[in-house]
Amino acid sequence: MKKRINLLVFLLVLGFYIPNAQLIAEINAVPETSILMQDGHEDDVKDSHAEDKQENHGESATDDHAAADDAHHGPPPGWTVIPFVLLLGMIATGPLFYEHFWHKNYPLIAVSLASLVVLYYLFALHDTHAPVHALAEYVQFIALLSSLYIASGGIMINVDKKATPMANVGLLLIGAVISNLIGTTGASMLLIRPFIRLNKGRIKPYHIIFFIFMVSNIGGALTPIGDPPLFLGFLKGVPFMWTLTHNLLPWIAALIILAIMFYFFDRRNKDMDLAPEVEFTNKTTIVGSKNFLWLAVIIAAVFIDPNVIEGVPAIIYDGQKFSFIREIIMLSVGYLSFKFASKKAIEGNEFNFEPIREVAFIFVGIFGTMMPALALVSEFAQSETGVALINPNSLYWGTGFLSGFLDNAPTYLNFLAAALASQGGDISVVADVQAYAAGGEYPDSVINLTAIAVGAVFFGAMTYIGNGPNFMVKSIAEQTGIHMPSFFGYILRYSVPILLPIFLVIWLLFFVL
C-alpha cells in the first residue's frame, strides 16, 4: 500500500507540471500570429511566412526555438550560467564532501536554483518562451523516463549462468542492440538489475560504468527510438533509416573497442576465482513478462506527436504544438504497469521510487538552469564566427562535449540549425532537413550530420548527467550496495582515460576530411 501511495504522489507531482485546463485555454487563446521570426518583418508578413511553412513543409513543433527567442529578447548575460555551474558543482562535490546535507537537501537546491533562473527570465528578461520550452521538454523527458522505469521494474530477468567475462560482454552487446528497439532508457532499466545479479559476489564499479557506456548511451545510436536527439532529428525530417545507414560503422567500432577493453578489465577481476562452485542451468527466466506489453505501449506512444499525426490534440503556444496526450498515456501506463505488476518481480528487483525521484529533482534543476547556457551556445553557433567554424571536426567535438554537460537533444538541434544556416538552409523546413540528410545539394552535409548525431549520442556517456539513464543506473547500483565513483571520479577515472581515446579514434576514422 505504501508503494502505491508513493507512486500516486509521484505521478501527481509530475501531473502538476502538465498545464491544467485553464492554462490550456489561455494558451490556445494566443493567436498563431505571435510567431517570432528573426528577419524583423511586420507581424502579418511573419504570420503568412510561418503558415506557409507549416502547410507546405509540416513544421515540427517539438523544436527548441531558442534562436528565434534569443533574437527577440537578446541573449542572456554571461553571469546567468552561474546557477547551472553551481548546480553541476554541487552534483559533483555533494556526495563526496557533504553527503548527508546533499542527500537531504538536493531537491530543495535543484528547485531553488531552477526557480532563480526562471524568475529572472520571466521578470527581468520578460521572456516566457524559454521557460515554456524548458517546461515542455522536462515533462516529455520525465514522463518517458518514469514510465519506462516503472514498467521495467515489473520485469525480473534471471540469467542462471556463470559470470564469465564473455557472458558479461555478450549481455552488454545484446543490451546495446536492444537500446535501438526500446531506447537507451528502456534497455538500461530492463537489464541493469539482471546484469548486477549475474555478477553477484564479484560486481565492481567498472561493471556499471561500462554498462552506462555501452547500453545507456552508445548502444542507442542506430535508430531515432534509441536516443532523444535522434528522435528530434527524425521529427525534423531526417529519414528513419538514415541513422542506421550512417551511424552503423562508428557504432560497431566504438562497441568493439569497449567490449575488448571490458573483457580485459573483467579477466583481471580476482573475485571471479574466489566464487564458490555452483551448478548453473544456463537458462534465462523472466518473471512479469506481461509488462513487456506496457513497454510496447510506451514506445508506441512516443510517436503520438501532434506535429506528425494530424488531429492529435495539442497545446498551442507561440505557433507551436506541444504534446500532452502522449505524456498522459505514458504516466498512466506507468501507474497501471505498477498496479498490475507481478509482486514476485517487484520484490525480486527490490523496486522502489528513489532512483526516479532523484532523477526527477536533479533534472528539474538542470532543465531550469541550463536555459542561459543553451541560449549562449545557440547564439554563438549561429553567429558569423560560429558559422565560419562549421565543419565535421567542430561539429563532432562541439556537439559532443556540450552534450556531456547539457541536454543532448537541444544541443543536437542547435548545431544542426547552425550547420543548415551556414549553407542557407532552415531547420524549420522539413524539405531543407531532408535535402541536408540526403547530401548533394549541401556540400559535406552527410558527414556533418553524422558528426552531430554521433557526437550527441556517444558523448552522453562522458558524465552522469550527459544522458537521463546514466543517473538512474548509478542510483540503482548504489542502492544495491555498489560504491560508485563521484561525479569527478567518473570523469577522471573512466571517461577521460577510456572514452576520450575511443572518441579520438572514431574521429580519425570517420570524420577527419
Side-chain angles (χ1 to χ4, degrees):
M1 176 62 71
K2 185 177 179 181
K3 287 184 178 180
R4 292 184 181 181
I5 293 174
N6 286 340
L7 173 62
L8 183 59
V9 171
F10 175 70
L11 294 179
L12 287 174
V13 170
L14 292 180
F16 172 78
Y17 289 97
I18 300 178
N20 57 33
Q22 181 180 358
L23 178 58
I24 294 174
E26 292 174 358
I27 289 176
N28 279 320
V30 178
E32 293 190 14
T33 54
S34 63
I35 297 176
L36 299 174
M37 305 298 289
Q38 296 185 34
D39 55 14
H41 289 268
E42 294 297 323
D43 287 344
D44 55 346
V45 177
K46 293 184 288 186
D47 301 336
S48 175
H49 181 57
E51 289 170 3
D52 288 343
K53 280 189 176 181
Q54 289 178 349
E55 292 175 3
N56 297 330
H57 302 291
E59 178 181 2
S60 170
T62 58
D63 181 23
D64 181 6
H65 286 277
D69 291 341
D70 291 346
H72 179 72
H73 298 283
W79 60 262
T80 55
V81 302
I82 291 176
F84 179 65
V85 174
L86 181 61
L87 179 61
L88 292 187
M90 296 189 77
I91 292 172
T93 60
L96 196 60
F97 298 113
Y98 40 97
E99 183 176 4
H100 178 72
F101 173 82
W102 172 250
H103 283 297
K104 182 179 179 180
N105 295 288
Y106 74 82
L108 178 62
I109 293 169
V111 172
S112 298
L113 289 174
S115 298
L116 285 175
V117 176
V118 169
L119 290 174
Y120 180 80
Y121 265 76
L122 294 177
F123 296 106
L125 298 181
H126 305 291
D127 180 358
T128 59
H129 306 283
V132 167
H133 279 285
L135 174 62
E137 289 167 2
Y138 175 77
V139 171
Q140 293 170 9
F141 167 85
I142 202 62
L144 177 61
L145 260 66
S146 61
S147 58
L148 288 172
Y149 173 78
I150 296 168
S152 63
I155 301 172
M156 184 175 70
I157 301 175
N158 282 317
V159 182
D160 188 26
K161 64 185 305 181
K162 187 175 181 180
T164 64
M166 282 305 298
N168 284 328
V169 167
L171 194 150
L172 291 174
L173 291 177
I174 290 172
V177 174
I178 293 176
S179 292
N180 296 289
L181 304 177
I182 61 175
T184 52
T185 301
S188 298
M189 296 304 98
L190 187 65
L191 296 176
I192 184 57
R193 295 182 183 93
F195 187 61
I196 292 173
R197 282 195 293 267
L198 175 64
N199 290 278
K200 186 177 181 180
R202 63 183 299 271
I203 193 78
K204 303 289 183 183
Y206 74 82
H207 286 97
I208 309 302
I209 302 299
F210 274 88
F211 186 95
I212 290 174
F213 289 170
M214 298 174 70
V215 180
S216 303
N217 290 275
I218 294 172
L222 297 186
T223 71
I225 298 174
D227 221 34
L230 303 183
F231 183 70
L232 290 184
F234 166 68
L235 293 179
K236 280 299 178 185
V238 178
F240 190 90
M241 298 301 293
W242 189 95
T243 50
L244 176 61
T245 302
H246 295 89
N247 294 354
L248 180 60
L249 291 181
W251 181 83
I252 291 174
L255 287 177
I256 287 176
I257 298 172
L258 281 168
I260 293 172
M261 294 181 71
F262 175 84
Y263 178 81
F264 284 105
F265 264 83
D266 216 25
R267 280 195 62 181
R268 297 175 60 188
N269 190 338
K270 300 303 181 183
D271 288 345
M272 180 174 61
D273 301 327
L274 302 176
E277 289 296 327
V278 178
E279 290 188 7
F280 297 95
T281 64
N282 292 320
K283 292 182 180 179
T284 299
T285 58
I286 300 176
V287 179
S289 56
K290 63 184 178 182
N291 271 38
F292 281 112
L293 296 176
W294 293 118
L295 286 176
V297 173
I298 295 169
I299 298 302
V302 170
F303 293 93
I304 303 177
D305 191 287
N307 306 283
V308 177
I309 303 175
E310 198 65 38
V312 174
I315 299 171
I316 309 297
Y317 180 76
D318 197 28
Q320 298 182 61
K321 296 178 182 178
F322 290 99
S323 168
F324 69 92
I325 295 296
R326 173 176 58 199
E327 286 65 41
I328 291 174
I329 292 173
M330 289 178 176
L331 294 175
S332 300
V333 167
Y335 174 78
L336 294 172
S337 68
F338 179 79
K339 181 177 181 181
F340 296 107
S342 164
K343 303 305 177 188
K344 183 179 179 181
I346 292 292
E347 293 172 1
N349 284 331
E350 299 180 353
F351 179 87
N352 63 75
F353 293 100
E354 182 56 31
I356 190 61
R357 176 180 178 270
E358 183 176 7
V359 169
F361 278 110
I362 290 295
F363 278 88
V364 161
I366 290 173
F367 274 80
T369 59
M370 75 178 178
M371 290 188 295
L374 281 173
L376 292 170
V377 168
S378 178
E379 183 76 12
F380 175 76
Q382 300 187 56
S383 67
E384 290 186 9
T385 304
V387 167
L389 296 174
I390 296 297
N391 58 65
N393 304 320
S394 61
L395 292 174
Y396 176 74
W397 292 107
T399 306
F401 275 118
L402 288 173
S403 292
F405 293 91
L406 303 175
D407 183 20
N408 59 1
T411 301
Y412 171 99
L413 289 179
N414 280 333
F415 277 88
L416 177 56
L420 268 166
S422 70
Q423 298 187 27
D426 188 341
I427 194 173
S428 65
V429 178
V430 172
D432 285 0
V433 177
Q434 290 174 336
Y436 197 80
E441 182 177 340
Y442 297 100
D444 298 326
S445 62
V446 172
I447 192 172
N448 285 346
L449 183 54
T450 306
I452 294 170
V454 171
V457 176
F458 283 23
F459 281 74
M462 285 294 293
T463 71
Y464 282 133
I465 65 170
N467 202 13
N470 302 3
F471 225 104
M472 298 173 71
V473 169
K474 171 182 178 289
S475 184
I476 291 172
E478 288 176 333
Q479 288 205 335
T480 64
I482 303 169
H483 185 67
M484 294 296 293
S486 66
F487 183 88
F488 287 130
Y490 177 96
I491 296 172
L492 296 177
R493 291 173 56 193
Y494 295 97
S495 296
V496 171
I498 296 175
L499 285 183
L500 274 187
I502 294 175
F503 294 161
L504 179 63
V505 170
I506 298 298
W507 173 62
L508 292 173
L509 288 177
F510 301 105
F511 300 113
V512 174
L513 293 178

